Amino acid sequence: MFGKTLLLLTACLAVQAASIPAKRQNNNGTAAHPNVTDPDVLNFALTLEHLENAFYTGGLQNFSQAAFLKAGYAASVRGYYQQIASHEQTHVANLTSLLGTQAVQPCTYNFGNGNVSTFVATSDMLEVVGASAYSGSARYLQNKDLLTAAAAILATEARQSSWINSAVRGGNPWSTAYETPLDLNQVFTLASSVIVSCPSNNTAIPVTPNPPLTATPATANPGQNITLTFNTTSGPVTNATGLYAAFLSGVTPTFLPLSGNGTFSVTIPSFLRGFVFLAITNSSSAADDSVTVAGPAFFNFAFNSNNTITPLPR
Ligand SMILES: *[C@@H]1O[C@H](CO)[C@@H](O)[C@H](O)[C@H]1NC(C)=O
Ligand SMILES: *[C@@H]1O[C@H](CO)[C@@H](O)[C@H](O)[C@H]1NC(C)=O
Ligand SMILES: *[C@@H]1O[C@H](CO)[C@@H](O)[C@H](O)[C@H]1NC(C)=O
Ligand SMILES: *[C@@H]1O[C@H](CO)[C@@H](O)[C@H](O)[C@H]1NC(C)=O
Ligand SMILES: *[C@@H]1O[C@H](CO)[C@@H](O)[C@H](O)[C@H]1NC(C)=O
Ligand SMILES: *[C@@H]1O[C@H](CO)[C@@H](O)[C@H](O)[C@H]1NC(C)=O
Ligand SMILES: *[C@@H]1O[C@H](CO)[C@@H](O)[C@H](O)[C@H]1NC(C)=O
Ligand SMILES: *[C@@H]1O[C@H](CO)[C@@H](O)[C@H](O)[C@H]1NC(C)=O
Ligand SMILES: *[C@@H]1O[C@H](CO)[C@@H](O)[C@H](O)[C@H]1NC(C)=O
Ligand SMILES: *[C@@H]1O[C@H](CO)[C@@H](O)[C@H](O)[C@H]1NC(C)=O
Ligand SMILES: *[C@@H]1O[C@H](CO)[C@@H](O)[C@H](O)[C@H]1NC(C)=O
Ligand SMILES: *[C@@H]1O[C@H](CO)[C@@H](O)[C@H](O)[C@H]1NC(C)=O
């Protein structure tokens, strides 16, 4: 379950320098989530931080320094992962403190029974989705202090992501000139596949996972065809007219019209590089939650220093 299309998520908002206004504010700037408040966004971030914290804490308990060395990783790798784990614990503590009695508690998770390599692959995705989650959530935050603190963490998330995909795994340090912003439901769709259940009294967050999207084969690369499997909230699609495969890379999605009945095939655009999300939209001009019908799915099109698609060495 830790393959290329494993759906996970994370986000990190540092908030120690900020405070939440007592009065709830409308954020009426987005079509998808007209009334999302700063506390909503912080609790969403805390949900993701809890997940990340549980992942790193559990993974480092499972895998010793000897296990990392045996799996072929450098002697420094596990220690740096301990530092990442410590960052996540700090974020959980700070967000919990800020939200007070409204703070959500951890859920239970299913991270599977992997090995050091699958732990590394999952951490790679966690950090990328975290950077995308924060990039997208900036549009919701009203409080400039929170935005600044979150921007500081976004940069650290991106550094962690670069370290994992390049220093640890031997691949590309970045994707394109821009990180890919994701919207709230899109992020939650990626996260919810490893969330088993959450405390019933947790503060409700105004996000809903989208129907899942599976791309087959999961190992396909740019220029190759994939088959898309998904339902909408109202069931299977029998007429795909008006639906698009939206490849989300940087700030400019690539939309490919779908056609067919039941099974849908598209060719991955050959120019795509690095981490790419794929959503089904009913718009060919926007790709936020208000037009997302299913997904996203997740790809890591690793490339070498000559910009050639190349499997990750580790
Ligand atoms: C939009 O939100 C602001 C607060 O951020 C509020 O003052 C304003 O009344 C809202 N506008 C509408 C039309 O809801
Ligand atoms: C957003 O809040 C406004 C003001 O409270 C309300 O009139 C409107 O119905 C809300 N919109 C949604 C989608 O909940
Ligand atoms: C750690 O091992 C336990 C027991 O096998 C497993 O349930 C859990 O998912 C593992 N966690 C990680 C992050 O590998
Ligand atoms: C936030 O984290 C920092 C660093 O660990 C800590 O010193 C501070 O007390 C925390 N703030 C809150 C409000 O928990
Ligand atoms: C780790 O698990 C993956 C997925 O099950 C498997 O392909 C890989 O061979 C395993 N690696 C080791 C070193 O056991
Ligand atoms: C939910 O219940 C737990 C345990 O009873 C409590 O610690 C927590 O504060 C409650 N959360 C909320 C949001 O009320
Ligand atoms: C990929 O799909 C296109 C049609 O969308 C088709 O023309 C092409 O032959 C397919 N390529 C492969 C390798 O299956
Ligand atoms: C779509 O819905 C049908 C039943 O309506 C179900 O059999 C199928 O497994 C669903 N597919 C997905 C990808 O959820
Ligand atoms: C897809 O198949 C269903 C039933 O088999 C049919 O009702 C529908 O018209 C078909 N749609 C298209 C676009 O051919
Ligand atoms: C599919 O939907 C489009 C747009 O609504 C419509 O023009 C077309 O006739 C439909 N095709 C079938 C087979 O129902
Ligand atoms: C487009 O998709 C969104 C999100 O699923 C949905 O709310 C909306 O009704 C859809 N619009 C059309 C015209 O189907
Ligand atoms: C890619 O670039 C490196 C260094 O610039 C060079 O050594 C290598 O041969 C190139 N590989 C390919 C496949 O062109």
Side-chain angles (χ1 to χ4, degrees):
M1 70 174 290
F2 291 109
K4 271 192 179 180
T5 56
L6 171 61
L7 305 175
L8 275 179
L9 88 331
T10 188
C12 293
L13 290 178
V15 290
Q16 60 247 42
S19 63
I20 306 174
K23 187 165 173 282
R24 284 172 73 88
Q25 291 178 303
N26 280 347
N27 179 336
N28 40 31
T30 75
H33 299 279
N35 291 340
V36 161
T37 66
D38 282 4
D40 290 334
V41 174
L42 296 187
N43 253 331
F44 183 64
L46 180 56
T47 300
L48 310 181
E49 292 288 356
H50 277 312
L51 187 162
E52 220 176 16
N53 188 24
F55 171 77
Y56 285 114
T57 302
L60 290 170
Q61 282 168 359
N62 289 356
F63 306 119
S64 64
Q65 174 72 358
F68 272 86
L69 293 175
K70 190 178 174 207
Y73 296 99
S76 62
V77 166
R78 190 175 184 279
Y80 280 130
Y81 268 119
Q82 287 177 306
Q83 294 178 21
I84 293 176
S86 170
H87 298 162
E88 313 312 349
Q89 282 167 19
T90 300
H91 303 153
V92 166
N94 275 272
L95 287 163
T96 300
S97 171
L98 265 177
L99 286 157
T101 58
Q102 292 304 301
V104 294
Q105 302 294 311
C107 303
T108 57
Y109 311 96
N110 182 357
F111 296 120
N113 286 306
N115 53 40
V116 177
S117 298
T118 59
F119 170 83
V120 167
T122 302
S123 74
D124 202 0
M125 178 159 49
L126 282 172
E127 299 302 329
V128 167
V129 177
S132 287
Y134 173 68
S135 297
S137 71
R139 76 185 73 164
Y140 298 101
L141 286 169
Q142 306 255 319
N143 181 314
K144 295 289 187 196
D145 290 336
L146 291 176
L147 193 54
T148 300
I153 290 302
L154 170 63
T156 291
E157 283 280 309
R159 289 176 194 271
Q160 291 171 344
S161 173
S162 288
W163 173 74
I164 294 167
N165 206 64
S166 60
V168 178
R169 306 190 75 185
N172 48 293
W174 41 71
S175 294
T176 71
Y178 295 99
E179 206 64 28
T180 305
L182 290 180
D183 216 339
L184 298 172
N185 291 349
Q186 292 171 339
V187 171
F188 198 56
T189 303
L190 297 169
S192 60
S193 67
V194 297
I195 296 178
V196 176
S197 67
C198 296
S200 58
N201 70 338
N202 263 1
T203 306
I205 307 172
V207 297
T208 311
N210 299 319
L213 168 65
T214 305
T216 311
T219 52
N221 277 322
Q224 297 177 340
N225 289 352
I226 47 175
T227 299
L228 306 178
T229 307
F230 64 96
N231 286 336
T232 70
T233 50
S234 49
V237 173
T238 55
N239 183 352
T241 304
L243 295 183
Y244 298 84
F247 289 89
L248 312 180
S249 170
V251 293
T252 311
T254 302
F255 298 94
L256 302 181
L258 294 185
S259 62
N261 196 342
T263 61
F264 308 103
S265 178
V266 293
T267 306
I268 301 172
S270 56
F271 58 83
L272 290 175
R273 290 293 182 275
F275 293 100
V276 174
F277 302 95
L278 170 60
I280 306 299
T281 61
N282 57 21
S283 166
S284 59
S285 59
D288 68 9
D289 280 343
S290 69
V291 294
T292 299
V293 169
F298 175 93
F299 297 97
N300 184 359
F301 302 132
F303 56 94
N304 67 13
S305 63
N306 307 306
N307 206 33
T308 301
I309 299 289
T310 308
L312 286 165
R314 295 184 285 280

